[in-house]
Amino acid sequence: MFKEGDMAVYPAHGVGEIQAIETKNMAGLEQSFYVIKIIDSAMVVMIPCNSSEKVGLRAIASPADADKVFDILKQTDVEIVQQPWNQRYREYMEKIKTGSIFEIAAVLRDLFLLQHDKELSFGERKMVDTAKSLLVTEIALAHQADEDEVAKQIDEIFVVA
């Protein structure tokens, strides 16, 4: 259960702040909603409290889990299955939509490794930006660090790889 002021991750949208918990009457039923403002987009979403776990709303990763992301990003001995870009795009989008920081890290790593062999499609390049942005925001919050510094750390991993 979240409270006002808590930071939370809403899958595929990123990190947001719980700005309020409101009760609304919907079709004759009283229901409580988390009102969340997404940091990167300033979008405000309302998520029913009783189904927040079902939609994947979760707390910010721990510092230890954030550190594991760097381990995932540093892996270079992974096999990228050869498949059409649109099939790969759908598969990676599903991973991003899980909201798992580890799945998102794997997508970013795989796309980075793939771009050494072939040019990424426009959608894949955009996905790199999305995945990186989601990771940077959450890792910065987990470590109470500056987002620019976290982005720099990620960039350095990919320069070395």
Side-chain angles (χ1 to χ4, degrees):
M1 186 89 180
F2 296 98
K3 61 186 185 312
E4 285 185 37
D6 284 352
M7 301 301 278
V9 177
Y10 186 42
H13 293 285
V15 175
E17 180 181 357
I18 309 287
Q19 294 194 314
I21 300 173
E22 297 181 0
T23 302
K24 300 229 182 244
N25 190 329
M26 306 287 271
L29 295 172
E30 292 246 328
Q31 194 168 17
S32 294
F33 292 86
Y34 292 120
V35 179
I36 304 171
K37 184 174 183 180
I38 304 300
I39 292 175
D40 285 342
S41 65
M43 174 175 52
V44 177
V45 294
M46 293 180 72
I47 301 170
C49 294
N50 62 359
S51 64
S52 62
E53 281 185 37
K54 186 176 180 182
V55 299
L57 189 67
R58 64 172 176 80
I60 299 296
S62 68
D65 282 345
D67 289 341
K68 289 178 189 173
V69 166
F70 288 108
D71 294 336
I72 291 169
L73 295 175
K74 290 175 184 174
Q75 294 171 348
T76 57
D77 59 345
V78 294
E79 183 179 336
I80 309 291
V81 178
Q82 294 299 321
Q83 58 189 354
W85 72 267
N86 56 347
Q87 187 177 353
R88 184 173 48 248
Y89 180 87
R90 280 193 304 272
E91 181 182 311
Y92 287 163
M93 276 309 295
E94 287 304 312
K95 287 183 177 187
I96 289 173
K97 287 179 184 177
T98 67
S100 164
I101 194 170
F102 305 122
E103 292 286 347
I104 296 167
V107 167
L108 183 59
R109 176 206 60 214
D110 290 357
L111 286 170
F112 176 77
L113 293 173
L114 186 65
Q115 77 181 11
H116 284 300
D117 296 332
K118 61 191 302 174
E119 188 175 339
L120 298 179
S121 70
F122 173 78
E124 289 170 323
R125 289 191 309 270
K126 190 170 179 184
M127 190 179 295
V128 165
D129 294 340
T130 299
K132 182 178 175 187
S133 175
L134 292 169
L135 290 176
V136 165
T137 303
E138 187 165 359
I139 291 169
L141 281 169
H143 282 295
Q144 297 178 351
D146 180 67
E147 286 189 18
D148 290 336
E149 188 59 38
V150 173
K152 183 179 171 186
Q153 288 177 308
I154 290 173
D155 289 342
E156 287 172 356
I157 290 170
F158 292 138
V159 168
V160 172

